[in-house]
Amino acid sequence: NHVSSICSTWGREHFKTFDGDVYQFPGMCEYNLVSDCHDTFPEFSVHMKRKENDGNPTVSYVVVTISDFAFHLSKDVVTVNDLPVKLPHYQAGVQMERNAVYIKLQSKVGIIVMWNLDDAVMVEIDNDYTNRTCGLCGDFNGVPVYNEFLLDGRKISPIEFGNIHKVHRPNDDCEDPYEEEDVSQEQNTCEEMLHAETWSSCTKLIDPEPYIQACVQDMCGCTNHSNDFCVCSTLSEFSRQCSHAGGEPPNWRTSKFCAKQCPFNMVYEESGSPCVDTCTHQDTSSFCEDHKMDGCFCPPGTVFDDISMRGCIAQSECQCKHGKIYESGEVYRQEREECTCFEGRWACESLSTPSTCAVEEGSHVTTFDGKDFTFHGNCYYTLAKVERKDDASPKFTILVKLVPCAHQEYDTCLKTLKILLNNDRNNVSSILGSCFK
């Protein structure tokens, strides 16, 4: 359960602080979502801005600043210090990647930012930042309300709290939201959905009441209740928080209610491993330490084809790649190795090649391992001997006799070559000569 280290925003105007407060703030300016406010030079800051999209607020962009680097995330382009980059991208200890649902930024300073490219942003930070943050996410001191919604000894509204964290930009005439009277509430529909038995794994871990109130706010703010956005955004957030808390959210979406589309033949799940098993990395999920989350996943028993991009396939259909693509069962050969593609993995074996030992010109020796050296002798020498594994007697022994050459004062000649089989001195093959060169 790592809910207490997560801050999030979703839907039309909802926020959850690190300390668990859920409140509504409809501001459409750029705001400080969370910053390290303890030091003179903060480790990081996360800013965000919403805009209207077909009548529904959506996150326009997210800006994460770490040291001297500004990572600007938008739907169309990601930039680092105003220079466009392609994802995945790694720079200055920051890894950015994109999957079918999220853009994820993870930094070594201890912060993770995830945006679903629509209405929801999540920030997770290390416990090292306890009681040293500020912004719409609160102070991370573990105590709800305290400090966030208290100012000079008086309790302030979420609207006033939100306006405090507006980022003032030159020539920005964005107006602050103002207090509104409470509107009629449609409590029953939201209670029925979140108190249903299918959510029991979640409601045991997370108090559903703040999310019921957020759902009511959504429905009251929508003139068209058939619009999925009015209900789905808060249900989606409650499902995400349930997964973060270690619960098992139900697959509550249907083709006609809050449906999600996935690429290829992937399926949308409320809680799954973000580490995807692929043809080239088939065991990724087994060693994954990341928290479960919602997203698009391959059906059980399949892996994602990251070689030919055919979507989710059975592991037995996986290909291999070495310069070109090989089907399962095809063989790739190189000088000393033969490799067979088997379900996306190479099974290789070394090819046995004959090795040569030689004596040339009576003194120049080459070993089986290719080592060259010069030796001048005047006796019988063992050139090679092969022994049996189960017997002390050798299979064969090759002897050479080296003598000084009569016609060359400082050189050696090969005089005799003897082959002794099975250590039998009566079974000797000899080659005699005045001098072998």
Side-chain angles (χ1 to χ4, degrees):
N1 188 336
H2 57 117
V3 170
S4 59
S5 61
I6 288 177
C7 164
S8 59
T9 179
W10 73 94
R12 301 182 63 83
E13 56 197 42
H14 309 298
F15 292 83
K16 172 198 162 293
T17 68
F18 292 118
D19 299 332
D21 290 305
V22 176
Y23 67 95
Q24 285 69 48
F25 175 65
M28 302 294 284
C29 305
E30 181 176 326
Y31 298 93
N32 174 29
L33 187 60
V34 58
S35 296
D36 170 23
C37 301
H38 181 71
D39 295 329
T40 305
F41 301 100
E43 291 271 7
F44 67 87
S45 68
V46 182
H47 294 177
M48 58 159 288
K49 178 178 171 62
R50 280 193 168 92
K51 68 176 181 180
E52 289 283 342
N53 183 21
D54 295 331
N56 294 320
T58 184
V59 175
S60 174
Y61 61 79
V62 178
V63 181
V64 183
T65 303
I66 298 174
S67 298
D68 296 326
F69 293 89
F71 303 87
H72 191 284
L73 315 180
S74 69
K75 284 187 177 181
D76 300 323
V77 65
V78 174
T79 65
V80 180
N81 289 348
D82 298 325
L83 297 176
V85 297
K86 291 184 178 180
L87 301 185
H89 179 79
Y90 183 83
Q91 185 172 356
V94 176
Q95 174 74 42
M96 293 187 292
E97 55 190 357
R98 181 174 181 172
N99 60 26
V101 179
Y102 291 97
I103 284 183
K104 178 180 179 181
L105 181 150
Q106 184 168 2
S107 171
K108 290 182 178 180
V109 302
I111 179 173
I112 298 173
V113 179
M114 298 184 68
W115 174 32
N116 69 350
L117 297 172
D118 188 17
D119 68 304
V121 177
M122 182 203 82
V123 181
E124 181 174 2
I125 60 176
D126 286 352
N127 289 329
D128 295 342
Y129 295 104
T130 299
N131 204 27
R132 56 183 282 182
T133 65
C134 61
L136 297 176
C137 287
D139 59 9
F140 196 28
N141 70 350
V143 183
V145 178
Y146 182 68
N147 283 350
E148 285 93 344
F149 298 100
L150 295 175
L151 182 64
D152 298 330
R154 66 181 179 88
K155 188 173 182 179
I156 62 175
S157 69
I159 299 295
E160 186 175 354
F161 171 71
N163 288 335
I164 292 173
H165 299 292
K166 176 180 176 180
V167 177
H168 295 280
R169 298 291 187 188
N171 304 319
D172 187 358
D173 58 355
C174 181
E175 294 184 3
D176 294 335
Y178 53 88
E179 304 283 351
E180 293 182 350
E181 295 182 1
D182 290 339
V183 293
S184 60
Q185 299 188 348
E186 301 190 21
Q187 190 89 10
N188 291 338
T189 302
C190 296
E191 284 184 341
E192 288 174 3
M193 287 188 291
L194 286 179
H195 280 306
E197 181 62 27
T198 53
W199 289 96
S200 60
S201 168
C202 301
T203 53
K204 292 176 182 177
L205 297 169
I206 301 174
D207 179 11
E209 198 58 36
Y211 298 91
I212 292 173
Q213 296 304 318
C215 169
V216 170
Q217 290 279 61
D218 288 338
M219 296 189 70
C220 291
C222 285
T223 56
N224 178 10
H225 288 184
S226 64
N227 183 349
D228 279 355
F229 189 89
C230 300
V231 179
C232 298
S233 59
T234 291
L235 284 179
S236 298
E237 179 64 19
F238 188 68
S239 180
R240 285 189 288 263
Q241 293 293 328
C242 174
S243 187
H244 294 319
E248 294 289 339
N251 287 318
W252 51 274
R253 302 176 193 270
T254 68
S255 59
K256 296 181 179 179
F257 181 68
C258 303
K260 287 283 190 179
Q261 300 298 319
C262 288
F264 302 103
N265 57 337
M266 302 177 86
V267 294
Y268 192 87
E269 298 285 349
E270 294 301 314
S271 183
S273 170
C275 305
V276 180
D277 289 333
T278 67
C279 281
T280 54
H281 299 91
Q282 296 176 10
D283 300 321
T284 304
S285 61
S286 301
F287 302 99
C288 186
E289 296 182 352
D290 291 348
H291 304 294
K292 287 187 175 182
M293 56 182 290
D294 62 311
C296 293
F297 305 94
C298 281
T302 64
V303 297
F304 187 77
D305 179 11
D306 57 345
I307 294 178
S308 293
M309 304 303 290
R310 294 173 293 174
C312 302
I313 62 175
Q315 183 176 323
S316 59
E317 300 175 20
C318 281
Q319 303 161 316
C320 303
K321 191 171 184 179
H322 187 90
K324 68 173 187 176
I325 295 175
Y326 293 79
E327 299 293 337
S328 188
E330 287 190 314
V331 176
Y332 163 74
R333 292 183 179 86
Q334 51 187 2
E335 184 178 352
R336 294 180 178 268
E337 196 173 43
E338 180 178 277
C339 298
T340 304
C341 177
F342 179 72
E343 297 184 355
R345 296 180 176 176
W346 288 111
C348 299
E349 59 181 13
S350 299
L351 298 176
S352 58
T353 55
S355 298
T356 302
C357 171
V359 178
E360 299 177 274
E361 297 185 355
S363 58
H364 302 294
V365 183
T366 301
T367 69
F368 288 119
D369 296 327
K371 175 71 174 178
D372 294 322
F373 64 92
T374 300
F375 177 72
H376 300 282
N378 185 15
C379 195
Y380 273 103
Y381 301 94
T382 300
L383 183 65
K385 180 168 65 173
V386 176
E387 296 181 343
R388 302 177 191 274
K389 292 182 179 179
D390 55 352
D391 194 345
S393 62
K395 287 184 177 182
F396 67 82
T397 304
I398 301 175
L399 302 173
V400 293
K401 184 177 182 180
L402 303 178
V403 298
C405 293
H407 58 285
Q408 295 182 14
E409 184 178 358
Y410 299 106
D411 207 349
T412 301
C413 285
L414 176 58
K415 185 69 175 178
T416 307
L417 174 67
K418 288 187 176 185
I419 302 175
L420 178 64
L421 300 177
N422 299 320
N423 204 29
D424 185 358
R425 296 187 180 278
N426 294 319
N427 188 3
V428 179
S429 299
S430 297
I431 300 176
L432 306 176
S434 61
C435 194
F436 293 102
K437 284 186 149 187

